Amino acid sequence: MEKKIHFSEILKKYTMVIVLVVLVVLFTANTEGRMILPQNVNNLIAQNAYVFILATGMLFCILTGGNIDLSVGSVVCFVSAVGGKMIVGHGMNPYLTMAVMLLVGIAIGAWQGFWIAYVRIPPFIVTLAGMLAFRGLSNVVLEGQTLAPMPESYLALFNNYIPDPFGTETFNVVCFAVGILVCVIYAVFVFRNRANRVKKGYQVEGLGSTIVKMAVICIAVLLFMFRLAQYKGIPNSLVWVVAIIAIYTYIASKTTSGRYFYAVGGNEKATKLSGINTNKVYFLAYLNMGLLAAVAGMITMARMNSANPQAGTNFEMDAIGACFIGGASAYGGTGTVPGVIIGALLMGVLNLGMSIMGIDQNLQKVVKGLVLLAAVIFDVVSKRKSFIVK
């Protein structure tokens, strides 16, 4: 059965997507097209890869009741400090080092998750303590110095591009072919999912609305891949980001464990009475955050080609901002991984556009702060109106 979708519902659901498109158009016009140059499109991914990864993990913390992790920036710094010390300081194997970095991140997540989930110390306090402690430990490990450079075998995992045996210096054929393949797979998935819902008697969007939405997404993907193809193709950092997004989108939307995070954020007492171990849900949220902070640490170390005591500064703010801008509720229980990615893209576009325009760094912070506040106000007001209507 098809359901009618009103314009107000579309506007509410896709507000941030519309804002993102408007921002891209405005910055493109005000930078004489420099905003969408192939190299800048590539920079948008490379410079914000850590935001996509950290915001994905932060979403699961926020889902549990609006909780956040203030320590992720310091954890990124500490993990990269450990990695830098092992590779540069002791000449250890990069792959062994990466395994140790992941284990360090998981251990930190388990440490903080224990106090939050089982001792019930407020997440704000635990992660604030972690923010201070791991930043200090980073300086202890690095002894206040920057360790560089990293070996080529390590940098290649994150900074190189997918090879293209068919393309030219000006156009990467493999990159654009991947874009076409993604659109085909997406179209098959959409129609298959719609057919299954119709077969089971669920309400579905009208066929026309489905086709329009699918066409818009496919056009955006093809334009994006076309721009990347005009530079060097698909960066390895994008592969890491897409893999993480795909895995966590599946976990959040298709698994029972993923739905537990939403349940806890919606009503923890009811969730506990239904037999779900809410302590375990909290623990897994912060364990997972530690793991993804370690991945972000590896990418950051490769991006900077060094382990720096100042690495990860304000990363937590970027991740939290991306979540709330992308539709995650300040009260928990609401939010999606694709929405968070839209929020991260919006912040990345803001950063890149304002930098190209030469806007003062202090004013950039003002703008990002106002955008974050506006997103949270929109969430609170819309929920209040919904409550009044009910």
Side-chain angles (χ1 to χ4, degrees), residues 181-372:
L181 180 62
V182 167
C183 290
V184 171
I185 293 173
Y186 171 68
V188 170
F189 175 80
V190 168
F191 285 122
R192 183 180 176 183
N193 187 52
R194 189 178 188 278
N196 287 336
R197 291 181 66 84
V198 170
K199 186 177 180 180
K200 293 176 181 178
Y202 298 153
Q203 280 192 331
V204 295
E205 290 182 350
L207 182 60
S209 300
T210 301
I211 292 174
V212 169
K213 183 173 74 173
M214 184 178 65
V216 170
I217 292 173
C218 287
I219 290 171
V221 169
L222 289 175
L223 287 174
F224 174 72
M225 298 303 282
F226 179 76
R227 277 307 195 186
L228 284 182
Q230 289 179 307
Y231 185 57
K232 294 181 180 179
I234 302 173
N236 286 352
S237 57
L238 179 60
V239 177
W240 284 84
V241 168
V242 170
I244 288 171
I245 291 171
I247 292 168
Y248 283 91
T249 298
Y250 178 80
I251 291 172
S253 61
K254 300 295 183 181
T255 67
T256 304
S257 299
R259 304 314 298 176
Y260 288 167
F261 292 94
Y262 291 91
V264 170
N267 190 322
E268 184 183 353
K269 289 184 179 179
T271 303
K272 196 169 186 177
L273 289 172
S274 68
I276 297 171
N277 187 340
T278 55
N279 290 347
K280 184 179 178 182
V281 174
Y282 281 112
F283 181 79
L284 288 176
Y286 286 89
L287 181 73
N288 174 69
M289 189 70 257
L291 170 65
L292 291 183
V295 176
M298 293 190 294
I299 290 178
T300 301
M301 191 167 73
R303 171 78 178 164
M304 298 172 64
N305 193 18
S306 66
N308 190 305
Q310 300 304 315
T313 302
N314 291 330
F315 279 18
E316 61 278 353
M317 297 297 106
D318 292 334
I320 295 167
C323 287
F324 288 134
I325 291 171
S329 173
Y331 303 109
T334 303
T336 63
V337 175
V340 165
I341 300 308
I342 294 296
L345 275 174
L346 196 150
M347 290 192 67
V349 167
L350 272 175
N351 288 331
L352 182 61
M354 289 190 293
S355 296
I356 294 173
M357 290 178 65
I359 296 176
D360 182 75
Q361 288 285 337
N362 295 315
L363 288 177
Q364 290 188 32
K365 292 177 182 177
V366 172
V367 171
K368 287 192 289 184
L370 291 176
V371 169
L372 174 58

Side-chain angles (χ1 to χ4, degrees), residues 100-113:
V100 172
M101 291 170 76
L102 289 175
L103 289 174
V104 169
I106 292 171
I108 291 171
W111 165 261
Q112 297 192 137

Side-chain angles (χ1 to χ4, degrees), residues 122-136:
F124 181 87
I125 301 300
V126 174
T127 58
L128 177 61
M131 180 178 72
L132 299 172
F134 293 114
R135 179 65 63 178

